[in-house]
Every structure is written in structure tokens, then in C-alpha cells.
Amino acid sequence: MRALWLAAWLTASLAAAQEAQLEVPVTTAPAEETGCARWRDRGLGEGPVAIGYAEADVATGRRACPRTEFGVGVRFGAIIDTPDFYGSLAVNGLVFGSYALRDTTELFATLEAVNYNFAQNAVITSTQLTLGNLTAGATQVLFDEGTFVGSVTARVLLPTSFEIPGARLLGGELGASASWRPQRWLEVHGYLGGDLSGAIGRGPGLPRGGAMLLVGAQLSPFDWGALVVDFSGRLGPLNYLAPTAALRFKIAQLGIELGATLPIAGTDRHDIIAGARVNWRF
Amino acid sequence: MKKLALALTALAATLGAGCQKEGCLNGEATCRVPPPCPRVTFTCDPAMNAALSVSQLDSASQRVGGPDALGTVGDVKLSNGFVDVVIANIGTQNLLDANGGSILDLAPKGQKDTLNTLFQVVGVLPRDAALYTSLEIIDERPARQAVAVQVKGTLDGIPSVPIVTRYELTPCDRGVRARTEIVNGSTNTQTWSLVDGYYWGGRGELPFAPGPGSGFGHPSFGLGTINGVYRPFPYMAAAGHGGDDDISAMSTTSCTEGTLEGFHSDQLSAAGLKRQIVPPRGSLIFERFFAVADAKGVGQAIDLALEIRKQVLGEQFITLSGQVERMGGGTFDAEREASVLVAEGTLTTDPKLRVEWTQVVPAADGSFSVRVPTGKSYVVEAHAFGRKQVEREYANLSADTDLGSFVLPATGTLTFHVEDKATTAGIDAELFLVPADDAEAPNFVGSLHGRFTTCAPWLGSPAGASPACNRVLVHDGDVTVEVPVGRFDVYAFHGPFWSLAKQTVNVLGGPQRVAFGLTRLALKPPGTVSADLHVHGAASFDSSIPNRDRVISFAASDLDVIIGTDHDVVMDYAQIVKDLGLQDRMSTVVGLETTGLIPFLMVPGYGFPLVIGHYNMWPLRYDPSLPRNGSPQDERVEPGELFERMKPLFTGEPLIELNHPWADPEFGRDLGFPRSILMDLRKDLPAADDGTRLGVYVRTPANATFSNDGHHAQEVMNGSDNGLFLQYRAFWHYLLNQGRVRTGTANSDSHSLTDSTVGVPQNLVTVGTGPGPNFDIGAFNRALKEGRSLGTNGPVIELTYEDGTTREGPSTKVLAPSSTAKLHVRVSSAPWVPVQEVRFIVNGEVKKLIKDLPADADPFAESGSLVDCDATVNVSELTAGLSGDAWLVVEAGRPVVLAGDLGGGLNGEPDGVPDTSDNNGDGVVDQADVKEGSKVGPLSDPTPATRGQPGYEFSVITNKGYATAFTNPFLFDLNGDGAFTAPGVKGGR
């Protein structure tokens, strides 16, 4: 029953996004003038840092502007809670890509192609190597005028992972992204999203939702390099307030992102999550 | 986009519809866990359906029999025609089961239970144990011939993780089925090892799990190294080794997997699912079958395990049968006399790599049969008296096979007679057998398939009934036992205040008779009763000595008073005393040793949860209709609150004793409160809780009127080997220096015939009551509280304070000595008890030493002077140089080792307790004495005497202990203020 409810919610979310695409006229302007095109360098990454606390790219701020790219990455997360005799390390090998269907529409996906977990409960340890989660989604630009871009995003979490005994994970997320680019070297971005996931399998669904607000900025003093600083706050069973920082580089059309985040408040116990991504923009 | 949405809707609907919720994983209040092990079936006469039952016990008479039976009124018993199983009621704490829901008793129908507890955990921390909070009795008849108990709860420390277990019985089951379901409802990824925990206790059932180099043997580990000893195994089995008929065997087999995973030790086993990561929303299901067999070895329980594997996995087995015979004839039916071990491999396979599959104890006629997996080569070993006697190889067995005969060596049938020389009446005694030639000793060293301690000769399981290890109990003067052929010195012992006798016996095979005469020596001062305040029997989770042997051992040491102090369960030995006709010369008192097993206590500066250790308490009421026979729930409370809980349970003058205050922890559980909370004895105690660890010691917990140091007595000597005496003594002296005067006691803490001999050491209590029907426990306890006792494992100290007309023995009475006050000390001992020096200790410092006392020429002498030292000392000589008041005790015996405090405290700091002896003999205790790889230690005992040296016989009787006695203190008011003022850690210097 919960799965059906979840599916209905996802359907509604995607439909809303599609409606928005169909009904909202998008202002087109000369490439150099509009927000999405107003960028330091084509190969340089943009938008919020793509390192999050949830599965694949769930609950990460999505950039507002469509682009076509393909990349691979790695994400490393650690919880070392000595007083509680607990430790956890997770490493994800990511494959991701996006396709700009048109200037205002992007389809994207992220797969945890390799999902490695190590967890320690007092002196007992275990490891796990599985295929991880897959997300797929779409972004639709709703407003792109002058220095400002506004988009909506929807993505679904598909039950591809084998990591949970007796269960597969299904979920979805709806969000709105914004990008303000007063200068070619400065982007202020934001993201507001809500997500919901639950298990399907022999056990309880245990649906859990969350809402996240992210604001950040990318400072791009060079064509080849940029600094991104984001602050995100999430409400939900697993909540946090977390700064995130990343360095972005580009070599020709190859973008590189090195980032890290850590919660400074909330129930999330991560000590750090760090990641590296490389992608080729087409 | 619409197409995508539609596709997702369809996907979700498909997945949702295709995922039927199993059992109680979804958390519905009325859920039922599915019947466990549906592929496992047993057949029997349909008439057996009538024997199937489930009910809550409403009378103690319905309890399962056996020394380890814990189930009582309120608990739930499942029975069929083959098995009884008792599930602890909710709200009942037993051993490591915090709140009920565990299996307390598991026994063949009408037989004796030898299981302590069986419970579910997912890790090693207290938070990882199942905390069941509801119990449902399920009777599915007539729709289905099955009865069950379902318990639901959460992990103890993680309320968001629900766990449910169903125990089920059908009419023909040779055991109980179980299925556990657990869901990670938390937001954290977990590593879980969903297993059944089996608490063996160390001297009870031994786990058996096949694997390379394993069977009875398992890799050793500590709390921090458990992860490295997890192994897969096809099944697990265990059997009691008490050596009597009160034992049974069990096995555990997965109903779904090819192997179980876990670890094993004499203390604890874990067997269940493999360790695995369980992210949030993950769930595990564990189904297994606990089979039970009325057998002395594990073989018959393993036969059932192989039957289950055949049904579940299609794995085929064959039956091996054979016969053991003994040269010269004789019957068997005892594990000590014949045990057959079957291991996969060949004679050329390194025995350390063979896979032990099963073990069987032949029947009285020597016949045996066991099942093993088909298609393998096996080595079959026949053992007797702890040693492999015959082994044979059988290659590629794929059909039932007759193994033929295994001929064991002849044994001697020895009848021992021990009598009181003065009356010629047969007496109770304990015999110690030792190879007469040290060079021959290795030929007699045996063990129970490598487990428990080794002994030479090995006459039976060290943990079990007589004969155990190299010890034999004699009741009413006579006993007959089988002994391997060889030449042995046999010592007859009847307590430290009797002569010791020795006979050298050449055991040739066949019957022989050996007689001893013993003489009571004039050692025990008039007006004293001898008492061991700390002994265990089979009711303790870590003992399997039958109660009858236990009581005979009391009499064998000629004790007047014995306090029964079984772990966490009240036991009354009075009926057995009566049955043996000992009630007129011996008094047993109903007591208890509270035993902290579930860590909970956090103290400043230390990050691990702790237990509060062990306390003895008496007199109590034995009530078998109550959980733990009337013992209080003693987990997760500080000592003060525990004492408060005890208050209404005492039946007379209460006495609370702090046991082995500085003993080494076992499996992360401290045995003594002071060491548990890492006290630093270099610092004075605060008057109240000041937020330090010393403050924890003195504080009064909420809901209590007792402080945590509210005990009356403290063990200064514990165990026949007198190990850790220096550390226990250091803590006692520390308390005396702090003005917290507690009576020092000396107890055997015996759990078997082997670990310690009852009454060695013991207390001589000066009191106007004697053993027998008129024994006055109130007077006895008051005398103890007043310090009117002596602790000894042999020497007797008679210490008298003389000042004008005043004559006093040691007590808590404060004395104001004049300048002419004197102490008169007289030390005496049996000729076999070596006393070399007398020590006068004032405020913790040896102020006078009378040393180099001559040894007795003949340790077996029965006449002549027993006095080792008779001296008078001025009190002023002993208190010279002190600025305040003083306490004084006298010790006698062998010199103690030179020892120092090099560390051992929090962060390796010194803690005021000796931890290292002068191991290199250079006269200084320093880092050069520390064992390589260690930060401190070892703290060695004095070197035991060797054959021919004075004290050798004492060493034989006391597990290489050393003679010691100590008095309780005199308290001197030296500054004339009318009170004893504690000198503090500096001892007034």
C-alpha cells in the first residue's frame, strides 16, 4: 500500500514538472545574455556541490541549468563514533550523466555502480560490496532572464540496490533550483527540495521524508578554477545543518570537482563526506 | 514525461504487490511469526500428540529438574513426549537475559537441564541484546498440532529496532524450533551478528563445532578480539560433563543455511547468521532447530543435527558403530573411562587440521554408534582418562560401517579407606593423586579432549563429579574408583587442622585396597568455628559439581559452617546435608553471590560500561517458586541500591561481603567493585560523591539508604592458591587506613573439586555457637562484623592484647594502649603447613618481622609440637614513629613476594595496588621485571616447593598455593581522643 502511495506521489511530482514545462513560456535571449549562458567557462562545473548525505544524489542541490555531460566519481563517507563504539565507512563509485534535451530541459541519472560499506559495532565488523542505488530525473527551467535562472527538478530513486537485506529502496524528490549570476565569476545558487523514500520487500516500508534548503555561491576567478561554498539544512528523521565546500577545475571540457561536507548540527552522525567527480561536457 | 510517470507507477505497483510482508517484520501488533523450520519433520506414534502442552508454570513442582534449571512460577513451559523447554517470563531477569524471553531450560523429557541460558543478540554490547517486552502463548491445536511462545521487543539499547522470536514445539520434535525476525528501524547502518548466545559459564557444558582444527577446540579470544575468531560451522553441539547422570546434550542447526557462524569458548558461544551489514530498513530472519538428547557426549545430539541437515540441505549421513573394550574387562558408561572422537582426515593429516565431527560416550557394554557426513575419510580415536589410547583410519566411508573393536588399556580398581585414627571410624576425606615419579608425570597428563585444565592423572572432568582431575572424594571412609595403571603418591586430606597421610600405590590393574589413618591436631582454638563463606555448587552457572559431591567436600575439609553462595541463584544445601547424615556436625547457610553480568555503570574518565562485581549475602530464604529461588534482580544497580533490594530478603542478622575486590575481569566483566571503577588507592576517599571515581565508591545511590561501600566484610584471601592476596590485602589495608573498617575474610570460592579445595582457605570465627541444629547464624554474623575472626589456609594465629587486666582479641573495639601494653602471638600449624615468618603490620606497613622459623621435619607427623612461634611484643615498639592512631594486624606463613605498583590504573598510571613482582630477582621492582609486551606484571606467587622440599605437600593440596594466615585488626587510639582516627593513605607517617 505504501509503495502504491509512493508511486502516486512520484507520478504527481513528475506530472507537475511536465506541466510546468508545457505551460510556462521561457524567455530566450542571446546566449551571452541569459543566466544559464552567462558562465565563466563552458567546461567548469556549476550549481551546488553534488555531495549529499543520502542515496546516490538524493537530497543534493541540483543545478538550475541544463547541460549534457557524462562523468564518474567517488564518494566517501565516514562515521567514527568512538564513545558509542560505532564506526561506518561507505565508498560509492558513481557513474552519472545528464542530457540537455533542449536549452530548458535536462534529463539526468546517477548510479552507485559500486557500493562498498564497512560498519563496526563495538568489535564486530562487516563489509559489503553491492550494486548501489540509481536515481533518474529531469530538470525544467522555468525562468531564465538576465542574471537569474529558476528551475524545477524531479528525480526518482529506483530499487536497484542489493545493500538492504530483505528490502529494496524506492523514493523520489521534488525540488526547485535557483541561480543568480550577477557576474561571470560569481554564481549564487539555491535549492529547496522535498524527498520521500521507503522500502519495498518483506519488511516494513518505513517511509521517511525530508526537506532541504541549500544556499551557496561559486566564485570563479579563473576560467580553469572555482571555489564553491554551500550551506544546507535538512529536516527529517535524519537532519543536519552542514557546510559544504568544493574546488572545481576544468581542463578543456573536462570538469573536476573535489568537495567535502560535514554536519555541524543535527542527528546525522557523519564525521565527513568527501567526494571527487570528473565529467566531460558535450 | 507522462509516459515516465506511468511507468514508475506501474513499477511501484508491481513491487508493492509482489512483496508479501513476512511474519512480524511489518510490526503489526497482532502479528504471528510463521512456524519455524517447515522443512524439518520428525515422526512418532500419533498417541504422542497428547503429550504436547504449553502452559505457564504455577508451582515449583512443575520445574524442570537439574542443577541449572531456572524456570519457575510464571515462566512458560513447552513440552512434548521428548523434550521440555522453558521460556523466561517477561520481567524476569536471569543471567545475561535482561527481561525474559530467553530459553532458561532445555532438557530431554523428564531429564535434567544443564543449560544456563540461551538468548538472542546482534553484537557484544548490552545494547545489542534482545529486550523482550511481551510474551504470547500460542496453541494452534486442533488446526495444527503445534504450541509456541512468541516474544516481542526491541534491542536493549536501540528501541527503534524491533525483534521477535517464536519458539515452537510439535508432537514429535526432538527439540525446539525457533525463528527470530529483526528489522533495522533506526537511521544508522549496522553491523549485526544475529546469533543465539549460549552462556556456558566455564565449567559446564562444552561447545562442539566442526571445523578445521576444531570440534571441542576453538581459537582463544578476548573481548577485543572476538571478530577474529568468528568461524562458519555446519552445526553446534554441547553436552554436560558433570560426570554424573544429571547431564544431557543439545545441538543447534540452521533450518535455512548451510552453516552457522559464530565463536566458542568454555564461557560463551554464539551461533547464528553470518555477520552482515544491515542498513536502515533491512531485516534478518534466523530459523534454527535446538535438538536435545539424553546423552553424555554430544554424539546423539549431533545425530539429530545431521538428520535436520539431511531434510533441509539434502546432505547424506552414514552411521558408524563399534565397540570399546578394556584389557582385563570392565564396564563403561562414563566419559572418563571411554570417549570416542570422530574426525575427518587421515592418520597422516596433522591432528590440528582434522575436522572433528562428533564424539560419543560408549554405553556400559562398550558399544557405540554415531552419524557422520557421508563420503569422507575419518580418523576414529578412543580416549580414556583424558588421553588418546587408540586411533584408526577409515577411508572414504559412504555407507554405514562397523568400526570394530577398540581395546583400551587395563585400569586398576582402587578401593580407598580413610579413617580417624583415634576412633577408627571412616571419615569423609579428599584424596589427591600425583605421579610418584616426576619424570613419568607427562605420561599421565590428560584433559577432556583438550578442554578445561589438564591433570596428571586425569581421573575425570575437572569441573564435575568425583573423581575429578586428580581428586577423589571419600564418603564415610570408603570409595572405589578406576585409576590408570601407574605409580602414584596418594595424599589423604581432611582439612588443614588434621594430619596429612600419604601412600605410594603401584597400580597394576585389577582391584587393590589402600588405607589411610588421619589424626585431628590440636590447632583450632577453643570457642572458634571454622567457616568457608564462599562456595559454589552446580546451581551456579559456572559449576557442575553435583550437589551431593559438593556437600561431601564440605565434610571432607571438616568445616563447621558453609555459606552457600551460588551465582545469582539462592541454593539450600540443608536437605543434602541431612541426607548424608551430616546435620549434627555441619551447618550450611542459605546465601547468594550476586554477580554483575550486564555492563551499565559509567564512571568518570572511563568510556566503557561496567558491572559492579560480586557480593556475597546471607542468610536468605530459599524459595524455588520465585525467580532465581528468591535472589533479587541484581543487574544495572549500584551496590548501594542492590543492598537496599536485599534488605527485605535477609532472614536474620544480615551480612554482606565484598568478594575478590581486585580480581581480573572475565569477558569484560569485573568481579570486584573497587577494581571495576578503577579506584586509585594512592588518594584518600572523599566524604561524599565529589564527581570522581572514588566518589562513586562512597556515594549513596538514589533509592537507597546504603552507600556503595555498605558491605560488612571483604575477602582478603580467595582461592586455595591464594592468588592475588597482595592485591586484595592492599585494598583491605587501604580501607583500614581510611577508617572504613571491614572484616577481612578468607574463602575458597570453590566451584569444583579442582579449582579450589573447600575450606582452603577458611575463617576461624570466635563465637559462642557451634555447628549443628542449634547453630546461631545471628551470633555468627555479629562476631564476623566485629572482626572476631582469623583468615587462614593452614596457620593458626592466636593473638592477644594484654594491658594490665585487659585481655582482648582482635575486634572493632577501639583500645587505648598504655606504655606497657603487649601483644602475645602464638602461631601453630600442621606439620605439612609451612610457616616461615610472622609479620606485624601497622597502618599498612610491616613494623616487625619474625622470620626464618624452622620447618617441620616430617610433614606427616601426628604428634609433637605444632607451635611455630610464640612471642610477646610491646605495642609501643610497633607504634613508634606514628603521629596518630593505628590499626594492627598479624600475618603468618610463607614470605610474600617483593612486589610494586608500576601501573594498572586509568591510562596506565599507578593505582596504589601491587601489580608486578621482583621477577628478575634483583631486589628491586622496576620495568625490568615487566614481561615483554606488557605494561605491568606479572605479579607472581612465591615459587612452589618441589618434591622433597618443606611445603611440597601443602603445594599439592592448594594448587601450588602458599601458606598464609591473617588476623583482623586491633584499633588503637594512640592520641587519647577516645576514638580511632583513620591515618589516611600515608598511614600516619
Side-chain angles (χ1 to χ4, degrees):
Chain A
M1 199 61 200
R2 285 194 179 94
L4 287 173
W5 184 86
L6 197 60
W9 178 82
L10 288 169
T11 306
S13 304
L14 289 166
Q18 193 174 38
E19 291 296 313
Q21 177 198 351
L22 293 175
E23 292 174 9
V24 179
V26 176
T27 305
T28 54
E32 273 63 49
E33 302 297 327
T34 64
C36 281
R38 190 181 173 84
W39 193 233
R40 180 88 196 194
D41 189 275
R42 180 178 162 76
L44 197 60
E46 58 189 295
V49 181
I51 298 175
Y53 290 77
E55 297 80 11
D57 61 351
V58 172
T60 60
R62 189 70 196 170
R63 63 175 176 250
C65 294
R67 63 194 323 199
T68 299
E69 65 181 13
F70 178 80
V72 295
V74 62
R75 182 176 62 171
F76 168 84
I79 302 173
I80 302 169
D81 189 348
T82 305
D84 200 39
F85 310 106
Y86 177 80
S88 168
L89 301 175
V91 180
N92 301 127
L94 303 170
V95 178
F96 59 92
S98 60
Y99 176 67
L101 208 57
R102 45 177 104 51
D103 288 348
T104 55
T105 308
E106 178 193 75
L107 303 177
F108 60 87
T110 299
L111 171 67
E112 294 168 342
V114 177
N115 178 56
Y116 173 82
N117 282 302
F118 165 89
Q120 178 159 356
N121 178 6
V123 296
I124 297 176
T125 64
S126 186
T127 60
Q128 180 192 57
L129 185 64
T130 65
L131 176 68
N133 298 283
L134 169 67
T135 60
T139 295
Q140 175 65 44
V141 177
L142 300 181
F143 183 84
D144 186 348
E145 194 170 39
T147 58
F148 190 80
V149 182
S151 305
V152 292
T153 292
R155 62 188 141 201
V156 291
L157 173 65
L158 297 168
T160 57
S161 176
F162 298 100
E163 68 177 325
I164 306 177
R168 299 292 183 90
L169 207 53
L170 185 66
E173 180 181 358
L174 274 179
S177 306
S179 173
W180 179 50
R181 299 175 176 183
Q183 302 293 332
R184 287 184 70 246
W185 49 268
L186 176 65
E187 180 199 49
V188 177
H189 49 243
Y191 178 81
L192 175 64
D195 61 85
L196 183 69
S197 64
I200 48 176
R202 67 189 180 195
L206 294 175
R208 286 174 185 157
M212 190 189 76
L213 174 65
L214 177 148
V215 292
Q218 176 167 344
L219 190 65
S220 308
F222 311 107
D223 287 348
W224 51 267
L227 169 68
V228 192
V229 177
D230 294 340
F231 287 93
S232 57
R234 178 180 164 83
L235 299 175
L238 208 58
N239 52 69
Y240 54 81
L241 185 65
T244 304
L247 293 173
R248 283 176 174 157
F249 305 97
K250 73 102 189 178
I251 303 169
Q253 301 306 308
L254 184 72
I256 301 169
E257 179 182 286
L258 304 172
T261 180
L262 77 168
I264 54 176
T267 58
D268 191 281
R269 300 165 71 189
H270 279 93
D271 290 287
I272 192 166
I273 299 176
R277 295 157 67 101
V278 293
N279 62 278
W280 186 268
R281 183 169 186 186
F282 297 98
Chain B
M1 195 62 93
K2 277 183 177 173
K3 287 179 182 174
L4 175 63
L6 286 172
L8 286 171
T9 305
L11 174 65
T14 304
L15 291 170
C19 295
Q20 193 70 31
K21 302 303 179 190
E22 282 192 52
C24 289
L25 289 171
N26 208 30
E28 291 91 350
T30 57
C31 69
R32 288 275 174 87
V33 169
C37 304
R39 282 190 281 176
V40 177
T41 56
F42 290 92
T43 56
C44 62
D45 187 331
M48 298 299 284
N49 288 359
L52 187 67
S53 69
V54 57
S55 64
Q56 215 156 9
L57 300 181
D58 54 23
S59 139
S61 63
Q62 298 170 324
R63 292 179 64 155
V64 172
D68 292 314
L70 292 169
T72 188
V73 174
D75 298 323
V76 182
K77 183 158 95 171
L78 299 162
S79 295
N80 64 11
F82 304 95
V83 61
D84 290 320
V85 56
V86 179
I87 313 300
N89 194 16
I90 298 304
T92 306
Q93 181 266 323
N94 281 285
L95 303 176
L96 286 163
D97 173 12
N99 200 46
S102 66
I103 294 181
L104 292 180
D105 305 322
L106 182 62
K109 181 73 179 176
Q111 299 298 310
K112 306 294 175 66
D113 166 63
T114 50
L115 177 75
N116 288 322
T117 53
L118 194 164
F119 50 93
Q120 288 77 47
V121 298
V122 296
V124 299
L125 295 173
R127 71 176 180 213
D128 298 323
L131 180 78
Y132 295 115
T133 51
S134 70
L135 181 149
E136 181 187 6
I137 295 174
I138 300 169
D139 189 343
E140 297 193 345
R141 294 170 296 182
R144 180 170 169 264
Q145 287 296 317
V147 295
V149 170
Q150 179 170 291
V151 286
K152 297 169 72 174
T154 66
L155 290 187
D156 198 349
I158 314 179
S160 56
V161 175
I163 183 168
V164 187
T165 294
R166 173 180 175 133
Y167 305 102
E168 182 181 286
L169 209 56
T170 64
C172 302
D173 286 347
R174 270 67 167 180
V176 62
R177 303 155 184 264
R179 172 178 162 125
T180 298
E181 301 176 347
I182 186 170
V183 178
N184 184 1
S186 77
T187 54
N188 292 310
T189 293
Q190 307 281 356
T191 276
W192 279 348
S193 166
L194 177 57
V195 297
D196 294 305
Y198 303 77
Y199 191 35
W200 309 122
R203 297 184 192 85
E205 292 183 293
L206 281 176
F208 181 99
S214 295
F216 280 116
H218 312 285
S220 59
F221 61 90
L223 197 55
T225 57
I226 285 177
N227 198 56
V229 296
Y230 269 83
R231 299 281 187 278
F233 41 88
Y235 51 77
M236 190 205 75
H241 302 277
D244 60 3
D245 291 329
D246 288 353
I247 53 176
S248 56
M250 64 162 297
S251 65
T252 306
T253 314
S254 171
C255 294
T256 56
E257 309 293 326
T259 58
L260 296 161
E261 188 187 79
F263 58 84
H264 306 280
S265 74
D266 297 356
Q267 292 277 352
L268 190 71
S269 280
L273 301 182
K274 66 178 182 182
R275 289 157 293 163
Q276 57 191 298
I277 285 180
V278 184
R281 303 179 173 105
S283 61
L284 299 178
I285 297 172
F286 177 31
E287 292 191 42
R288 63 285 194 198
F289 194 99
F290 305 113
V292 185
D294 182 13
K296 290 176 178 164
V298 292
Q300 287 176 255
I302 289 174
D303 288 353
L304 293 167
L306 288 170
E307 172 63 35
I308 292 163
R309 287 179 65 82
K310 182 178 178 182
Q311 294 182 22
V312 172
L313 303 170
E315 183 179 276
Q316 301 300 308
F317 61 79
I318 57 173
T319 301
L320 308 181
S321 55
Q323 184 86 19
V324 292
E325 298 171 4
R326 184 186 294 139
M327 290 181 190
T331 59
F332 297 94
D333 202 24
E335 195 171 35
R336 66 174 66 90
E337 294 173 9
S339 172
V340 175
L341 186 70
V342 184
E344 181 184 346
T346 66
L347 290 174
T348 58
T349 308
D350 182 348
K352 291 177 183 170
L353 298 178
R354 293 176 191 164
V355 179
E356 294 176 6
W357 280 97
T358 191
Q359 172 256 356
V360 62
V361 176
D365 64 358
S367 62
F368 66 88
S369 77
V370 282
R371 292 171 175 172
V372 291
T374 189
K376 300 178 186 293
S377 296
Y378 292 101
V379 173
V380 180
E381 304 173 354
H383 293 241
F385 296 101
R387 296 176 64 83
K388 182 166 63 182
Q389 306 290 350
V390 186
E391 67 175 347
R392 245 184 257 150
E393 176 185 322
Y394 299 85
N396 300 320
L397 295 183
S398 54
D400 293 351
T401 303
D402 183 352
L403 303 174
S405 293
F406 295 79
V407 181
L408 301 174
T411 59
T413 305
L414 267 60
T415 297
F416 295 105
H417 174 76
V418 185
E419 65 181 34
D420 179 350
K421 265 191 175 177
T423 64
T424 70
I427 57 176
D428 294 333
E430 189 165 344
L431 306 176
F432 296 71
L433 277 70
V434 181
D437 183 347
D438 287 342
E440 291 290 314
N443 298 328
F444 297 103
V445 173
S447 69
L448 184 59
H449 297 292
R451 307 311 299 175
F452 297 141
T453 55
T454 58
C455 309
W458 190 93
L459 303 177
S461 170
S466 171
C469 191
N470 65 335
R471 322 279 168 95
V472 181
L473 283 177
V474 181
H475 178 51
D476 274 349
D478 293 290
V479 69
T480 298
V481 294
E482 297 295 320
V483 177
V485 170
R487 195 159 164 270
F488 302 100
D489 289 337
V490 184
Y491 296 87
F493 166 83
H494 190 51
F497 310 134
W498 283 67
S499 66
L500 189 72
K502 183 182 90 167
Q503 298 271 13
T504 299
V505 184
N506 199 9
V507 181
L508 302 169
Q512 287 174 261
R513 188 171 190 278
V514 184
F516 301 87
L518 298 178
T519 301
R520 182 191 296 273
L521 305 173
L523 287 167
K524 202 164 82 171
T528 63
V529 295
S530 59
D532 193 336
L533 314 176
H534 191 171
V535 293
H536 296 267
S540 289
F541 58 78
D542 57 355
S543 174
S544 52
I545 181 172
N547 287 335
R548 185 177 183 276
D549 281 10
R550 180 76 292 175
V551 173
I552 292 172
S553 73
F554 300 159
S557 289
D558 192 33
L559 279 166
D560 298 324
V561 175
I562 301 96
I563 313 293
T565 54
D566 286 300
H567 289 292
D568 281 346
V569 61
V570 175
M571 181 62 195
D572 186 359
Y573 294 91
Q575 187 57 49
I576 302 160
V577 169
K578 208 169 180 179
D579 293 345
L580 290 166
L582 299 167
Q583 69 275 16
D584 291 332
R585 52 191 164 105
M586 174 194 297
S587 290
T588 54
V589 178
V590 177
L592 165 74
E593 182 173 24
T594 63
T595 305
L597 294 171
I598 302 176
F600 75 102
L601 180 65
M602 303 300 292
V603 296
Y606 192 64
F608 292 87
L610 304 164
V611 297
I612 63 167
H614 301 187
Y615 290 89
N616 279 355
M617 313 201 187
W618 71 87
L620 303 174
R621 179 177 293 107
Y622 169 76
D623 186 345
S625 69
L626 294 175
R628 308 169 296 275
N629 296 341
S631 159
Q633 206 274 62
D634 63 357
E635 297 294 342
R636 307 189 206 215
V637 289
E638 293 187 24
E641 190 173 353
L642 174 61
F643 304 158
E644 193 72 35
R645 290 183 183 185
M646 289 300 303
K647 205 156 66 173
L649 305 179
F650 288 112
T651 57
E653 179 79 27
L655 202 136
I656 302 172
E657 178 187 68
L658 168 66
N659 294 342
H660 31 64
W662 218 264
D664 295 328
E666 291 179 355
F667 211 70
R669 275 74 173 166
D670 272 285
L671 309 187
F673 187 57
R675 175 170 170 153
S676 179
I677 61 173
L678 295 142
M679 291 178 70
D680 185 346
L681 308 192
R682 300 171 304 165
K683 298 175 182 172
D684 286 320
L685 284 171
D689 188 2
D690 60 353
T692 66
R693 294 190 302 280
L694 293 180
V696 174
Y697 180 73
V698 299
R699 76 185 176 195
T700 299
N703 308 319
T705 57
F706 289 88
S707 64
N708 285 340
D709 73 334
H711 58 277
H712 308 110
Q714 179 221 304
E715 285 186 333
V716 178
M717 292 170 67
N718 174 284
S720 294
D721 64 3
N722 206 17
L724 301 182
F725 168 64
L726 292 183
Q727 295 179 317
Y728 302 157
R729 183 179 73 160
F731 184 70
W732 188 46
H733 289 178
Y734 170 76
L735 288 189
L736 292 173
N737 274 336
Q738 298 301 308
R740 295 181 185 250
V741 180
R742 303 289 184 268
T743 299
T745 60
N747 301 314
S748 71
D749 196 4
S750 172
H751 290 71
S752 67
L753 292 183
T754 309
D755 63 325
S756 282
T757 301
V758 171
V760 184
Q762 60 179 271
N763 305 276
L764 290 176
V765 184
T766 303
V767 60
T769 186
N774 298 319
F775 175 65
D776 182 348
I777 184 63
F780 178 85
N781 281 354
R782 282 190 291 276
L784 269 177
K785 287 179 179 177
E786 291 167 4
R788 300 185 187 281
S789 66
L790 162 79
T792 180
N793 58 17
V796 177
I797 306 171
E798 293 168 272
L799 181 64
T800 311
Y801 168 87
E802 300 172 0
D803 192 3
T805 58
T806 302
R807 297 282 184 280
E808 292 284 349
S811 78
T812 51
K813 183 177 179 181
V814 178
L815 303 169
S818 71
S819 59
T820 59
K822 291 180 170 49
L823 287 175
H824 180 228
V825 63
R826 181 174 181 268
V827 178
S828 51
S829 64
W832 56 277
V833 176
V835 176
Q836 294 167 273
E837 67 178 34
V838 179
R839 301 180 286 270
F840 295 78
I841 299 174
V842 179
N843 290 0
E845 184 181 47
V846 176
K847 295 289 285 190
K848 184 177 179 64
L849 182 65
I850 301 172
K851 57 183 184 178
D852 298 329
L853 300 174
D856 289 285
D858 178 9
F860 306 108
E862 298 168 339
S863 58
S865 174
L866 303 172
V867 177
D868 301 293
C869 173
D870 197 334
T872 301
V873 181
N874 289 327
V875 173
S876 58
E877 176 189 342
L878 300 171
T879 57
L882 295 179
S883 58
D885 294 343
W887 56 265
L888 177 147
V889 301
V890 173
E891 296 177 347
R894 275 194 68 175
V896 294
V897 297
L898 178 63
D901 171 28
L902 301 183
L906 193 63
N907 303 320
E909 293 290 310
D911 55 7
V913 180
D915 48 52
T916 307
S917 46
D918 177 23
N919 298 314
N920 61 7
D922 65 357
V924 179
V925 180
D926 54 20
Q927 282 299 323
D929 295 302
V930 176
K931 184 181 174 185
E932 190 177 340
S934 302
K935 293 177 180 172
V936 297
L939 180 62
S940 304
D941 291 327
T943 306
T946 55
R947 196 186 296 268
Q949 289 183 327
Y952 170 73
E953 292 75 17
F954 185 86
S955 179
V956 168
I957 303 301
T958 60
N959 292 339
K960 300 181 179 175
Y962 57 101
T964 304
F966 68 91
T967 69
N968 267 291
F970 282 114
L971 304 179
F972 293 136
D973 170 23
L974 299 180
N975 60 13
D977 66 355
F980 168 70
T981 306
V985 290
K986 293 181 179 174
R989 291 178 286 276

